[in-house]
Amino acid sequence: MQEVLTIHIVVEGCDTLKSDRGQINMIRFGGSCDCECFKGEVLPGGVDTQLYLTGEPGRLSARYMLKGTDADGEPAMLFIENNGTFSENGECITQPVIHTDAESLRWLCDMPLRGTISGWEKGVIIHFWKDA
């Protein structure tokens, strides 16, 4: 697999609901992307909703926009919807869907991608991969 986007997510806050059915977290975040094909910042309003309901695997659903430039320095925006399920060991594989206004990045919208998540001191790093 080849990594096509890496986004450093900075957690800004979290609201949590706990009930007899489990726990739901809504995590607000910002962040940035500094890759060959795109450089930009996460716009205000990014949120990752995580559901940990009794008897079900944990799920996440994140939605956010980034504003920046493509590889040629032209203005570009990305909208990302990233959904995944946590395994018993806490790993999460996601299936991102990307939309863009940049013709040069349209290929991100048209190919199946896979996401993985790793930690860092300010939040998480989202890695998007395509099959090589």
Side-chain angles (χ1 to χ4, degrees):
M1 290 193 305
Q2 176 186 355
E3 191 166 8
V4 295
L5 283 177
T6 305
I7 304 168
H8 286 76
I9 298 296
V10 178
V11 173
E12 297 174 344
C14 179
D15 295 306
T16 299
L17 178 147
K18 293 182 181 181
S19 75
D20 59 348
R21 295 195 61 213
Q23 179 172 316
I24 300 169
N25 302 318
M26 291 188 70
I27 302 165
R28 296 176 309 282
F29 61 86
S32 62
C33 179
D34 187 9
C35 297
E36 274 187 41
C37 66
F38 179 82
K39 296 179 186 336
E41 300 292 322
V42 175
L43 295 174
V47 67
D48 177 6
T49 303
Q50 298 181 355
L51 289 87
Y52 300 98
L53 302 178
T54 305
E56 298 179 19
R59 294 178 287 148
L60 72 78
S61 180
R63 289 175 180 81
Y64 52 104
M65 285 192 182
L66 294 102
K67 185 175 185 176
T69 57
D70 67 9
D72 297 323
E74 295 296 319
M77 290 184 70
L78 300 176
F79 167 81
I80 298 173
E81 179 177 350
N82 198 22
N83 297 300
T85 303
F86 291 95
S87 67
E88 288 184 15
N89 65 5
E91 290 182 323
C92 186
I93 304 298
T94 68
Q95 293 190 309
V97 174
I98 299 177
H99 298 275
T100 184
D101 61 354
E103 190 61 39
S104 63
L105 297 171
R106 187 91 45 226
W107 58 274
L108 289 168
C109 307
D110 297 332
M111 73 172 46
L113 298 172
R114 181 176 312 172
T116 58
I117 302 168
S118 60
W120 72 303
E121 65 273 6
K122 295 181 182 181
V124 295
I125 303 171
I126 309 297
H127 309 270
F128 292 142
W129 309 85
K130 71 173 185 171
D131 290 329

